[in-house]
Amino acid sequence: MDIDEKDGTVTLSNGLVIRPDLTRGEFEAVSTGGSASGSPPWSHHRIAGDVADGREILASVCFHGELLVSVDLCAGLYPAGQVGWEHYSDEIEAATKDFHDHLLEHLFSKHLTAKTFEAPGELSRDPALLKRTVEWKFAWGSVVSHHDPRSSTTSITVLYGNRLAEA
């Protein structure tokens, strides 16, 4: 998984390339596997299988009609088989947030790829991290590492300009 600083193109290790001008129709024609949800004109497409530092990354691609609005990326730090509300943990979400922050630092400050990323030996499990948003701004939009307390999800969101606000 990589995010191009020049234009926001997200490239997944399975070869899927999500360009800022990608339409929903084009995406559905090239994407294999995953699941789709949403109420028209919104659609969200989930794709599993990407990896950074040996951890699975789930990608969720969001469209409003044919327009690509955002791409969410989330590292899977929960133990195998322990996904769902009954296993939710602020400490694991904090470690996920710390992982995401370090990954973005690696990609954008060091200008390296996710293939060379190694998370610190010990990720912070301090729930205070969940209140801190880390944002990288670019001419084409931004990349944000955040925790949404309403849905209790922690992710990296690639936003293309003001598309979300305009949708």
Side-chain angles (χ1 to χ4, degrees):
M1 185 261 344
D2 283 301
I3 304 167
D4 190 315
E5 293 180 58
K6 294 179 197 109
D7 67 3
T9 296
V10 177
T11 303
L12 302 178
S13 60
N14 65 7
L16 183 62
V17 177
I18 305 165
R19 302 176 328 274
D21 63 346
L22 183 70
T23 66
R24 183 181 54 82
E26 291 171 331
F27 175 82
E28 290 173 348
V30 299
S31 177
T32 58
S35 63
S37 64
S39 299
W42 293 97
S43 64
H44 302 270
H45 303 264
R46 288 173 188 75
I47 307 157
D50 216 70
V51 176
D53 190 36
R55 293 178 169 95
E56 185 176 46
I57 305 284
L58 176 69
S60 180
V61 185
C62 175
F63 292 93
H64 183 263
E66 287 293 313
L67 182 67
L68 174 64
V69 174
S70 63
V71 178
D72 286 312
L73 304 160
C74 180
L77 269 63
Y78 283 88
Q82 294 188 10
V83 178
W85 284 111
E86 64 275 13
H87 300 289
Y88 177 84
S89 161
D90 277 345
E91 290 77 20
I92 294 175
E93 292 296 319
T96 301
K97 173 80 169 71
D98 196 30
F99 181 90
H100 292 163
D101 293 352
H102 284 288
L103 176 58
L104 293 179
E105 180 79 21
H106 180 82
L107 293 175
F108 300 136
S109 288
K110 298 178 181 175
H111 307 288
L112 299 170
T113 68
K115 289 178 186 174
T116 61
F117 175 69
E118 292 182 20
E122 181 99 13
L123 292 167
S124 175
R125 297 173 68 86
D126 181 357
L129 276 177
L130 300 177
K131 294 182 174 142
R132 188 185 77 181
T133 297
V134 175
E135 182 175 19
W136 295 83
K137 293 185 179 189
F138 301 96
W140 51 264
S142 62
V143 179
V144 182
S145 169
H146 61 101
H147 175 77
D148 179 359
R150 291 174 293 151
S151 64
S152 295
T153 57
T154 304
S155 61
I156 293 170
T157 302
V158 180
L159 294 161
Y160 299 99
N162 292 326
R163 294 180 187 177
L164 181 61
E166 294 170 0

